Amino acid sequence: MAHDDMMRAALDQARRALAVDEVPVGAVVVLGGKIVGAGFNQPIWRHDPTAHAEIVALRDAASRLANYRLAGSTLYVTVEPCLMCVGAIVHARVDTLVFGTPEPKAGAVVSTMRAFEHPALNHRVNAISGVLEEECREIIREFFRERRGKVGSI
């Protein structure tokens, strides 16, 4: 299935975040069946609160395509986007969001709110959840499990 393949590419990006001790979230932007943008969480080492995987991937795609509008694209992200990222997705005119696992504390697609459904928005995004959900959930769980273990051993 194409969704699985593209989510595996997003998981590869999440592993890149893990390698630099960032929360392992990864994203890829797909247009015409090809990855045109990729990103992973980078707010800590970039000193940038907006450097979430989704926004990094959207910026990469917009730069490569020389267009801030990504109409016809699909964004694959390992974890449900937050409200900031939902806003960026809408502004970029992404057609479809595919995410792996819900984010019960900050997810703004289905968990804490349904931001894509706000009546004031001038663009609608289709959302698909649960693609490679277990793999996406496990990489996050393991990261925080290890973090808690390090804190407890100090």
Side-chain angles (χ1 to χ4, degrees):
M1 178 182 210
H3 286 324
D4 286 1
D5 292 341
M6 296 305 174
M7 189 60 75
R8 283 188 186 91
L11 279 163
D12 288 343
Q13 290 295 312
R15 289 183 195 93
R16 291 185 67 190
L18 196 57
V20 295
D21 207 27
E22 293 274 4
V23 176
V25 178
V28 295
V29 178
V30 176
L31 186 63
K34 294 182 175 29
I35 294 173
V36 296
F40 58 91
N41 265 5
Q42 304 173 31
I44 297 168
W45 65 273
R46 279 201 177 185
H47 309 289
D48 179 355
T50 69
H52 289 196
E54 301 92 310
I55 291 177
V56 173
L58 291 171
R59 287 176 178 159
D60 186 37
S63 178
R64 288 184 194 200
L65 298 172
N67 192 343
Y68 75 103
R69 295 278 169 96
L70 303 173
S73 69
T74 300
L75 174 66
Y76 291 84
V77 61
T78 56
V79 177
E80 178 185 2
C82 70
L83 185 57
M84 174 183 71
C85 292
V86 164
I89 292 163
V90 169
H91 284 289
R93 301 298 193 267
V94 170
D95 278 5
T96 304
L97 166 72
V98 179
F99 68 91
T101 190
E103 207 315 318
K105 292 183 181 177
V109 178
V110 296
S111 293
T112 64
M113 65 185 75
R114 296 184 176 276
F116 285 141
E117 297 173 17
H118 194 283
L121 295 178
N122 63 350
H123 175 72
R124 297 289 170 219
V125 178
N126 299 312
I128 299 168
S129 63
V131 175
L132 299 182
E133 183 172 355
E134 188 54 40
E135 294 93 322
C136 293
R137 182 183 306 119
E138 191 52 37
I139 192 169
I140 291 286
R141 278 187 179 163
E142 186 58 32
F143 173 80
F144 285 110
R145 204 175 292 134
E146 283 185 27
R147 274 295 244 283
R148 285 190 297 273
K150 287 179 185 176
V151 170
S153 64
I154 295 175

